[in-house]
Amino acid sequence: MVHAPSRPPEGAPPVRINLYSDTQTRPSQAMLASMMSAPTGDDQSGDDPTINALCDRMAALLGKEAAVFLPSGTMCNVIATLVHTRPGDEILAHRTAHILTSEGGAHGALGGVQITGLEGPNGLFDADAVRRAIRPRNRNAPPQTMLEVEQTANTGGGTVWPKAQLDEVAAVAHEQGWVTHMDGARLLNACVASGISASDMCASYDTAWLDFTKGLGAPLGAVLVGTSDFIGHAWRWKQRLGGAMRQGGVCAAACLYALDHNVDRLAEDHANAKALARGLKQIPGVEVTDPDTNLVYFDPTGAGLSSERLQAELRMRGILISLLGGRLRACTHLDVGSAMIDDALTAIREALARA
Ligand SMILES: *Cc1c(COP(=O)(O)O)cnc(C)c1O
């Protein structure tokens, strides 16, 4: 049974504060204007000038030879698996990784691979955890061929991998002859939070990608980068999966706009997340994970309402928030201003006080 997306409950007011996800940002008027004036060609023939400009810029930003524009981050991950592995191979990733929990089993269904989940706090693991997962190379064991990390670690708490730790786990992988792949859905959040450049962040990763529909606020699109050879193979899979996007320059223009206007401002989202976490911590009984970036995970159970109940109470007050693994997740983004954070805190305090 596949569940349909939930509808607003009976009598719920319109949403005035959307903390559900940074995927729900709306393209601004200026972003839409940049899309309307974008020169376009045919992506499938490789001659859409706006897509080509975006790919050149992304390859340079992430410090790799080449790039390919894709409809979504999920397709970036799936294509990376399809190029880097063969059926029967094993991928190592954190137990909470998006490729393991949230891609519809695509890596098994389409790539025929198994993914083993590594343990570690906050969505991160260390070199020892990777070493402990190394299998003997014999006829029984699945060939291990790829290590994957998520920067930032989404369900880990929007955690920023320290660069040294990224390099250490990649070094173990490369010693073993494995490929390293970075899911950079929120890579620029990590860069803005740490002051480390995107190319340094993914220097020890063979392939990486960045999502434009998270905090960057574009309506669709993600860019996957790697060697020219890798991107050649990725393009074949893009074609096979139906991901070639004809006059897609209209969408690439939104991504270029986001790179020009929406990167530095991610710092505001991080400041808003920290303010929200500070406020939540002052409510007795609420357990809050300190946010590195724009995701605030908290559990209100100790303050008298389950996560589900508080989520429903907030929805009736026009506030949308997500529920992930039993905890609430508030996500700050370019449609959430600091006044909304104060407003949300007031509503949370009020709902808990009445409980
Ligand atoms: C959102 C997300 C994805 C998938 O990206 P889409 O563009 O939604 O397909 C992959 N990994 C992480 C960590 C994400 O947060």
Side-chain angles (χ1 to χ4, degrees), residues 17-42:
I17 303 176
N18 191 339
L19 298 168
Y20 187 82
S21 175
D22 45 13
T23 54
Q24 299 204 344
T25 51
R26 302 293 157 91
S28 63
Q29 288 303 316
M31 181 181 275
L32 290 169
S34 78
M35 297 171 77
M36 286 172 71
S37 59
T40 57
D42 182 351

Side-chain angles (χ1 to χ4, degrees), residues 99-305:
I99 59 166
L100 216 156
T101 63
S102 307
E103 297 184 359
H107 302 261
L110 306 175
V113 296
Q114 65 188 54
I115 307 175
T116 294
L118 302 177
E119 298 288 339
N122 307 321
L124 276 52
F125 50 82
D126 59 17
D128 281 338
V130 182
R131 282 197 200 93
R132 281 195 298 275
I134 297 171
R135 294 186 195 277
R137 292 177 191 229
N138 58 26
R139 290 179 181 164
N140 316 9
Q144 297 177 303
T145 49
M146 176 168 151
L147 178 83
E148 192 253 13
V149 300
E150 221 172 86
Q151 180 69 307
T152 64
N154 178 357
T155 50
T159 331
V160 178
W161 278 81
K163 161 135 174 81
Q165 194 170 342
L166 281 177
D167 292 347
E168 281 157 23
V169 299
V172 177
H174 286 144
E175 267 163 41
Q176 296 298 314
W178 308 340
V179 163
T180 51
H181 173 68
M182 179 184 285
D183 169 340
R186 295 185 180 81
L187 172 61
L188 292 180
N189 289 86
C191 295
V192 167
S194 65
I196 295 172
S197 73
S199 60
D200 279 352
M201 252 337 164
C202 52
S204 49
Y205 287 75
D206 299 298
T207 53
W209 61 271
L210 176 69
D211 213 332
F212 285 93
T213 64
K214 300 286 163 81
L216 298 182
L220 64 84
V223 175
L224 174 65
V225 302
T227 63
S228 303
D229 184 54
F230 168 81
I231 294 300
H233 290 291
W235 243 108
R236 165 127 314 123
W237 278 112
K238 167 168 163 159
Q239 182 64 33
R240 284 179 182 152
L241 297 174
M245 291 182 288
R246 301 300 184 191
Q247 287 73 38
V250 173
C251 300
C255 302
L256 285 165
Y257 179 92
L259 286 177
D260 287 334
H261 299 94
N262 293 348
V263 177
D264 293 340
R265 63 150 310 285
L266 291 170
E268 291 170 36
D269 299 342
H270 302 168
N272 285 334
K274 286 197 165 64
L276 179 63
R278 267 197 310 275
L280 288 170
K281 274 188 180 172
Q282 285 164 5
I283 308 173
V286 177
E287 276 176 41
V288 194
T289 308
D290 276 324
D292 279 357
T293 53
N294 67 326
L295 303 173
V296 183
Y297 283 84
F298 66 101
D299 185 346
T301 315
L305 282 183

